[in-house]
Amino acid sequence: LRDADLRGADLCDANLCGADLRDDDLRGANLRGANLRDADLRGADLCDANLIIITWSHWTTYITPGHIRIGCQSHTLDEWKNFDDQKIAGMESRALDFWRENKALIIGLCERFPVKECEQK
């Protein structure tokens, strides 16, 4: 998909794991629930794509409307909000400290997106 024009594309729930999206135009693309793990997004135009990417020291966080992926853990906003410390600690040895430090920011960013159902094809 390198250099593809994906403006406004509905990529809801798409598996883009490992995809080469370098220099793609993703303006306005619906990426809700998309699997972007290991996707190469260098130079991609993500303006209005309803996607926030945060690279931390241990994991990359992808935030789309109603959905958060931290490292390999991908869950809905409501699931993340309701996880207790035991559940988070069981995900990875560093997860609980990370979550305690960043939960408010991550949840707040996700809540800023309006949740829209994917269009049925």
Side-chain angles (χ1 to χ4, degrees), residues 6 14 21 23 28 33-35 43 47 53 62 85 88 102 106-107 110:
L6 298 171
L21 301 172
D23 303 317
N35 180 354
C47 182
I53 301 172
Y62 301 95
D85 285 355
I88 296 292
N102 299 294
I106 293 168
I107 296 294
C110 191

Side-chain angles (χ1 to χ4, degrees), residues 1-109:
L1 294 174
R2 190 172 179 187
D3 297 319
D5 184 352
L6 298 171
R7 278 181 289 185
D10 185 354
L11 300 171
C12 184
D13 296 320
N15 183 355
L16 300 171
C17 183
D20 185 350
L21 301 172
R22 279 181 286 172
D23 303 317
D24 286 1
D25 187 345
L26 295 166
R27 285 179 286 175
N30 180 359
L31 296 167
R32 182 174 178 246
N35 180 354
L36 296 168
R37 186 173 181 166
D38 298 324
D40 186 346
L41 296 165
R42 286 178 287 177
D45 186 344
L46 297 166
C47 182
D48 297 322
N50 282 344
L51 171 67
I52 297 172
I53 301 172
I54 305 170
T55 303
W56 312 90
S57 60
H58 299 298
W59 303 286
T60 299
T61 300
Y62 301 95
I63 302 170
T64 58
H67 196 267
I68 300 167
R69 173 183 290 276
I70 302 172
C72 65
Q73 293 291 326
S74 181
H75 304 282
T76 67
L77 171 60
D78 288 336
E79 289 170 326
W80 282 108
K81 287 168 116 177
N82 292 305
F83 286 151
D84 60 19
D85 285 355
Q86 183 177 0
K87 177 70 174 180
I88 296 292
M91 293 178 180
E92 209 271 356
S93 62
R94 300 168 288 188
L96 186 56
D97 289 339
F98 171 84
W99 188 238
R100 286 179 174 165
E101 291 175 22
N102 299 294
K103 177 180 179 177
L105 172 67
I106 293 168
I107 296 294
L109 289 170

